[in-house]
Amino acid sequence: MTANFSFECIASCNQTKARAGVFQTPHGIVETPRFMPVGTLANVKTITPAQLKDTGAQMVLSNTYHLHLQPGEDIVAGGGGLHKFMGWNGPMLTDSGGFQVFSLSEMRKITEEGVTFRSPRDGRIINLTPERSIAIQNTLGADVIMAFDECPPYPATREEVEAATSRTYRWLERCISAHQRQDQALFGIVQGGVYLDLRAKAALDLKQFDLPGYAIGGVSVGEPPELIAQIVETTAPLLPSDKPRYLMGVGTYREMAMAIASGIDLFDCVIPTRWARHGTAMVQGERWNLKNAKFREDFAPLDETCPCYTCQNFSRAYISHLLRSQEILAYTLLSIHNITELIRFTQKIRNAILQGTFATDFAHWLKPGEVQEEK
Amino acid sequence: MTANFSFECIASCNQTKARAGVFQTPHGIVETPRFMPVGTLANVKTITPAQLKDTGAQMVLSNTYHLHLQPGEDIVAGGGGLHKFMGWNGPMLTDSGGFQVFSLSEMRKITEEGVTFRSPRDGRIINLTPERSIAIQNTLGADVIMAFDECPPYPATREEVEAATSRTYRWLERCISAHQRQDQALFGIVQGGVYLDLRAKAALDLKQFDLPGYAIGGVSVGEPPELIAQIVETTAPLLPSDKPRYLMGVGTYREMAMAIASGIDLFDCVIPTRWARHGTAMVQGERWNLKNAKFREDFAPLDETCPCYTCQNFSRAYISHLLRSQEILAYTLLSIHNITELIRFTQKIRNAILQGTFATDFAHWLKPGEVQEEK
C-alpha cells in the first residue's frame, strides 16, 4: 500500500469474523464497517454535498461508466477533479465501468482486449479496456479506483464463469501496469459467480498482488440471497486481513450484517436514494411506503431515534403530503433519512464490534431471513 | 394594527417614493423592501427550509387554494399549523385563494356569495367565500393573511372591472368580520384592472378600514409591463404610509425597482424556482440558460459576487452537467441561487435607500426597459 493509504483493524469480534477498522485515504478516514452512498453522475441524487455530509457519509462512490459518457472525464478534470467538481471533499471511490458495461449497454462485444459497446446515451461506439478504464479513473481522481473486470451474468455455466474469472485476473495485471497515480489506491475484484471453488481460487490468485484493498464483485445480480451469504462467507476470509474488503452493490440490512460477520468492511448500494424516489422510507429494518393512507395524519417523525435533518424537522404526514403533491422535496427528505439510516446501521454494528457485543446484539440479523415486504 | 404587528419606516428616498422599513410579525421581522419566495404547497419547490433560510429569505408565501385541496387545512393544523408543518419558523403569508380560483380552476361560477368551482385535483365541487377563505387561513395560521378578492382578467371591460372591484370591497368587509385571530394580520387588496381611476378609488376606499397592510392585486395578468408601472405609480402613494405595501405576483428586477420607487415594500413571485426548474439562472439582471453549450466547460461560479451555497461550491460546468444528466440537484442548486439573487437585489436597494443613493445607483432600473431575453 502506498504511503497515502493505510488500513488498521482496531477491534475484532471473537464469535464471528467481524472487525472494526480505520481506512486512511488522502481525503480523510473511513471508519469501517461502513455503508457508502452512491453518487452515480458526480452527485448523490437529490441531495447536496452539505446534506450528504450530515448523513454521516464518509466515502462516496461515483460511476466511471456514467461519467465517461456525461460529462466526460476531461471536463471533470477541468473542474479540478471529481472531489472539487462535485463539491465533496471526503474520500471517494470510482468503480471501473465493468459492471455497467455488462448490465446496461447494448450490443456489447467482449474480447481479450476489452469491451466494445454502443452508448445508450448517444449511440456512439465505445471501447473500454483495462488500460482505458484505469486512464479514465486516473483522470477522474477518486481516492480508490477499481480494476476493470468481467462480471458474468446469473445464471451462467461454470465454463462461462471460469472464462470470465480468469480474464478478470489477466485484466487486473494490465490494470496494475496501467495505473499511474500514487495518490489513488487500486482495488482488485474477486469474481467467480456462484461457484464457491472459483471464488476461492480467484481470492487466492488476487492476494498475490498485494493490493491496497479487495472487493467481491458480481453478487446481487439475481442470485438467491442465501447464495450471496455463502459466496461472502467463502471468499472474504481468504482475502488479506490487513487490507479493506468491499462487497460491491450490497446495501440491505441483513446482507450487510451477515457480510460484516464474514469480515467485510465496505458496502455501496443505490437502494436508499432509489427507494426514496419511490416514496419509501427505511425505518429500523422495515420499508414504509409513505404514500400509504395511514401516514396522512401521522404527525410523528419517521423515526424518533434518528438524528437526521428529516426526522428532526418533519413529520410522516408532511412527507406524505409532499409525495401526494409530487413535490421533489419529498425525495430529498427521504434520501437524507434513508442514507443516514444505512450508515447508522453500519455505525451501530461498528460500535457493537468495539464493545464486544456484535454477535449477540445483531443475532437476529445474522441468519437468513425472508425477503423484506413493504409495509 | 394589533399589538403583534408593527411597521416602521426607517428611511426614505428624497427623489422617489422609495422607503426602507421594518415589518414586525409574531415570527420575526421583515426588512423591507424585500422579495418573498413562494412555497405553494407548504414547501419552496426543491429546497429545504434550512437552505431557504440561507438564501436570506425572511417572509415566505404559501397558497391557500393549493393547501385547501392538498393536504387540507385540518391536516396542516394537526401538524401544528403551517410554520411547524413545513419546518419554517420565520414570518409567513398566505394568499386568499382568489387569484388561483380565477386563474386555474374550471367551471367557476361567481355570485355575490362567493365562488363555486370544480377542483382540478379530484373533480369535487368547492365553494369559496370570503368567510371560508378567512376560516381556512385562520386554520393554516400564517402571520399575514389576505382578503378574498375578485381578480378580473386582462383584458376586461370597464364595467366588468368596476363590478369586480366593488365586489372585492364588499367581500373585504365580510373578511374583516370573519377574521378570528389576533396573531394574524389581514391585508386588503386593491383591484381595479388597468383603469387608473378605479385603482385610485379602490385604494382610498380600502384605506378607511385601517388595516395592518395593503396589497395591489390583479397585476401581471397579461397586461403590458408599462401598465404595471402606471398602476403601481398611481395606487401605492394613496395607501397609508405607515403600513406595509405589497405588490402581488411581481418579481422581476425592473418591475421591483420601479415599484419600490413608487413606495412598494413587499413582492412575491414563482419565477426564481420556476426558471430554476427550466435550467435558467438569474445573474445580475440577466437570464442564462445553463443548458447552453458554452457553459459545458465554464468552471467559474454562476456569479463570483454571490454568497449563496451554489456559487460558493459549484461551477457553471457542474450545473450544466447536472442539467444534461437530468439530475434533480440542478434544480435545487439553481433555486438556491435564483432566490438568493432576487432577495439580494431587494437588499441592495434597501441599503441604497438607507444610504441615500437609491435614485442614482438604480437609475438604469427606473425606466421602462425591453423585455429580458434569455442569453
Side-chain angles (χ1 to χ4, degrees):
Chain A
M1 203 175 295
T2 73
N4 293 301
F5 296 88
S6 68
F7 179 73
E8 190 188 0
C9 177
I10 60 173
S12 298
C13 174
N14 58 14
Q15 294 172 69
T16 72
K17 296 199 171 62
R19 70 233 193 114
V22 178
F23 179 39
Q24 177 83 47
T25 80
H27 285 85
I29 63 161
V30 188
E31 295 164 309
T32 63
R34 202 167 198 95
F35 176 77
M36 303 186 289
V38 178
T40 301
L41 276 151
N43 79 116
V44 175
K45 287 186 195 301
T46 77
I47 69 175
T48 67
Q51 290 168 329
L52 183 59
K53 195 165 173 61
D54 287 345
T55 65
Q58 288 180 341
M59 184 169 252
V60 174
L61 188 144
S62 203
N63 291 118
T64 292
Y65 170 89
H66 291 96
L67 291 174
H68 175 62
L69 295 182
Q70 167 59 40
E73 60 275 14
D74 291 336
I75 284 180
V76 174
L82 193 50
H83 299 84
K84 184 154 184 245
F85 184 62
M86 70 180 274
W88 178 255
N89 198 31
M92 291 206 69
L93 179 151
T94 44
D95 63 6
S96 66
F99 180 76
Q100 281 77 24
V101 167
F102 293 98
S103 62
L104 297 179
S105 64
E106 290 169 21
M107 289 191 57
R108 65 172 183 272
K109 192 181 148 199
I110 309 167
T111 65
E112 184 63 21
E113 175 60 17
V115 184
T116 303
F117 63 98
R118 185 178 289 284
S119 159
R121 188 175 177 79
D122 57 13
R124 72 192 148 120
I125 300 297
I126 295 175
N127 290 301
L128 211 49
T129 62
E131 291 78 11
R132 189 96 188 85
S133 170
I134 297 299
I136 295 169
Q137 293 186 80
N138 284 167
T139 304
L140 291 170
D143 301 271
V144 173
I145 67 174
M146 302 301 298
F148 188 68
D149 58 337
E150 181 178 342
C151 177
Y154 177 84
T157 65
R158 183 180 172 87
E159 288 65 37
E160 287 166 343
V161 174
E162 208 161 13
T165 306
S166 61
R167 181 174 283 146
T168 294
Y169 177 86
R170 295 189 298 275
W171 282 0
L172 174 59
E173 291 182 307
R174 287 164 56 189
C175 287
I176 293 169
S177 299
H179 181 34
Q180 300 279 347
R181 286 176 60 166
Q182 287 297 307
D183 61 342
Q184 294 183 306
L186 171 63
F187 281 23
I189 302 175
V190 176
Q191 290 290 351
V194 297
Y195 303 95
L196 300 183
D197 60 319
L198 296 184
R199 287 279 181 183
K201 180 177 183 306
L204 294 172
D205 286 348
L206 262 62
K207 198 174 174 178
Q208 302 169 44
F209 290 108
D210 191 28
L211 292 165
Y214 291 88
I216 299 177
V219 296
S220 208
V221 291
E223 73 280 29
E226 60 269 24
L227 281 185
I228 300 180
Q230 282 179 27
I231 292 165
V232 175
E233 206 177 348
T234 303
T235 313
L238 299 175
L239 295 170
S241 62
D242 59 344
K243 301 294 169 57
R245 299 166 180 153
Y246 161 31
L247 180 59
M248 303 182 81
V250 166
T252 52
Y253 297 93
R254 189 174 305 279
E255 278 69 36
M256 287 201 292
M258 292 179 78
I260 289 168
S262 296
I264 294 290
D265 307 301
L266 295 168
F267 303 90
D268 79 282
C269 194
V270 297
I271 275 183
T273 43
R274 180 170 294 167
W275 283 1
R277 296 195 306 284
H278 292 125
T280 298
M282 306 175 80
V283 182
Q284 301 198 3
E286 297 185 344
R287 288 169 61 180
W288 293 357
N289 179 352
L290 268 288
K291 283 176 277 192
N292 192 306
K294 71 179 172 187
F295 294 116
R296 280 196 72 211
E297 299 187 51
D298 183 342
F299 298 107
L302 288 175
D303 179 351
E304 278 179 5
T305 72
C306 179
C308 85
Y309 176 72
T310 303
C311 290
Q312 293 299 308
N313 290 280
F314 306 97
S315 64
R316 298 166 188 173
Y318 181 64
I319 296 168
S320 168
H321 157 64
L322 293 178
L323 288 168
R324 285 165 189 277
S325 305
Q326 298 182 296
E327 290 285 342
I328 284 171
L329 183 58
Y331 313 138
T332 302
L333 296 182
L334 286 171
S335 293
I336 287 172
H337 170 75
N338 287 352
I339 292 172
T340 303
E341 169 69 6
L342 286 191
I343 291 172
R344 276 177 82 215
F345 183 71
T346 54
Q347 278 177 319
K348 285 178 194 163
I349 289 180
R350 187 175 198 270
N351 291 338
I353 295 168
L354 291 171
Q355 287 160 27
T357 60
F358 170 61
T360 47
D361 290 358
F362 287 82
H364 57 294
W365 287 118
L366 296 178
K367 52 193 183 211
E370 282 103 57
V371 174
Q372 283 170 33
E373 291 300 327
E374 193 167 83
K375 298 201 176 180
Chain B
M1 203 176 295
T2 74
N4 294 301
F5 296 88
S6 69
F7 179 74
E8 190 188 359
C9 178
I10 60 172
S12 298
C13 174
N14 58 14
Q15 294 173 69
T16 72
K17 297 201 169 62
R19 70 232 195 116
V22 178
F23 179 39
Q24 178 84 46
T25 81
H27 285 85
I29 63 163
V30 187
E31 295 164 310
T32 63
R34 201 166 197 95
F35 175 78
M36 303 186 289
V38 179
T40 301
L41 276 152
N43 79 116
V44 176
K45 286 186 195 299
T46 78
I47 70 175
T48 66
Q51 290 168 329
L52 183 59
K53 195 166 174 59
D54 287 344
T55 65
Q58 289 180 341
M59 184 169 253
V60 175
L61 188 144
S62 203
N63 291 117
T64 292
Y65 170 88
H66 291 96
L67 290 175
H68 176 62
L69 296 182
Q70 167 60 38
E73 59 276 15
D74 291 336
I75 285 180
V76 175
L82 192 50
H83 299 84
K84 185 153 183 246
F85 185 63
M86 69 180 276
W88 178 255
N89 199 31
M92 291 207 68
L93 180 151
T94 45
D95 63 6
S96 66
F99 180 76
Q100 281 78 23
V101 168
F102 293 97
S103 62
L104 297 180
S105 63
E106 291 170 21
M107 289 190 58
R108 63 172 185 272
K109 193 181 148 200
I110 309 168
T111 66
E112 186 62 23
E113 176 61 16
V115 184
T116 304
F117 62 97
R118 187 179 288 281
S119 159
R121 188 174 177 81
D122 57 14
R124 73 192 148 119
I125 301 296
I126 295 175
N127 290 299
L128 211 49
T129 62
E131 291 78 11
R132 189 97 190 83
S133 169
I134 297 299
I136 296 169
Q137 292 185 82
N138 283 167
T139 304
L140 291 172
D143 301 270
V144 173
I145 67 175
M146 301 301 297
F148 188 69
D149 57 338
E150 181 178 341
C151 177
Y154 177 84
T157 67
R158 183 180 172 88
E159 289 64 37
E160 288 166 339
V161 174
E162 209 160 13
T165 307
S166 60
R167 182 174 281 146
T168 294
Y169 176 87
R170 295 190 296 276
W171 283 359
L172 174 59
E173 292 182 306
R174 288 165 57 189
C175 287
I176 293 169
S177 300
H179 182 35
Q180 300 279 346
R181 286 176 60 166
Q182 288 296 307
D183 60 343
Q184 294 183 305
L186 171 63
F187 280 23
I189 302 175
V190 177
Q191 290 290 351
V194 297
Y195 303 96
L196 299 183
D197 61 320
L198 296 183
R199 288 279 181 183
K201 180 177 184 305
L204 294 172
D205 287 347
L206 263 61
K207 198 174 173 177
Q208 304 168 44
F209 290 107
D210 192 28
L211 293 165
Y214 291 88
I216 299 177
V219 296
S220 209
V221 292
E223 73 280 29
E226 60 271 23
L227 281 184
I228 299 179
Q230 282 178 27
I231 292 165
V232 175
E233 206 177 346
T234 303
T235 313
L238 299 175
L239 295 169
S241 62
D242 59 344
K243 302 294 170 58
R245 300 167 181 154
Y246 161 33
L247 180 59
M248 303 182 80
V250 167
T252 52
Y253 296 92
R254 189 173 306 278
E255 278 69 36
M256 289 201 292
M258 293 179 76
I260 289 168
S262 295
I264 296 290
D265 307 301
L266 295 168
F267 303 90
D268 80 281
C269 193
V270 297
I271 275 183
T273 43
R274 181 169 295 166
W275 284 1
R277 296 195 305 285
H278 292 124
T280 298
M282 306 177 81
V283 182
Q284 301 198 4
E286 296 185 344
R287 288 169 61 180
W288 293 356
N289 179 353
L290 268 289
K291 283 177 277 193
N292 193 305
K294 72 178 171 187
F295 294 116
R296 281 196 71 211
E297 299 188 50
D298 183 342
F299 299 107
L302 287 174
D303 179 351
E304 277 179 5
T305 72
C306 179
C308 85
Y309 175 72
T310 303
C311 289
Q312 292 299 308
N313 290 281
F314 306 98
S315 63
R316 299 167 188 172
Y318 182 65
I319 296 168
S320 168
H321 157 64
L322 293 179
L323 288 168
R324 285 164 189 277
S325 306
Q326 298 180 297
E327 290 284 343
I328 284 172
L329 183 59
Y331 313 137
T332 302
L333 297 182
L334 285 171
S335 292
I336 288 172
H337 171 75
N338 287 352
I339 292 172
T340 303
E341 168 69 6
L342 286 191
I343 290 172
R344 276 176 83 215
F345 183 71
T346 55
Q347 277 177 319
K348 285 178 194 164
I349 289 179
R350 187 176 198 270
N351 291 338
I353 295 168
L354 291 171
Q355 287 160 27
T357 60
F358 170 62
T360 46
D361 289 358
F362 287 82
H364 56 293
W365 287 117
L366 297 178
K367 52 191 183 216
E370 284 103 57
V371 174
Q372 282 169 33
E373 290 299 327
E374 192 167 83
K375 298 203 177 182

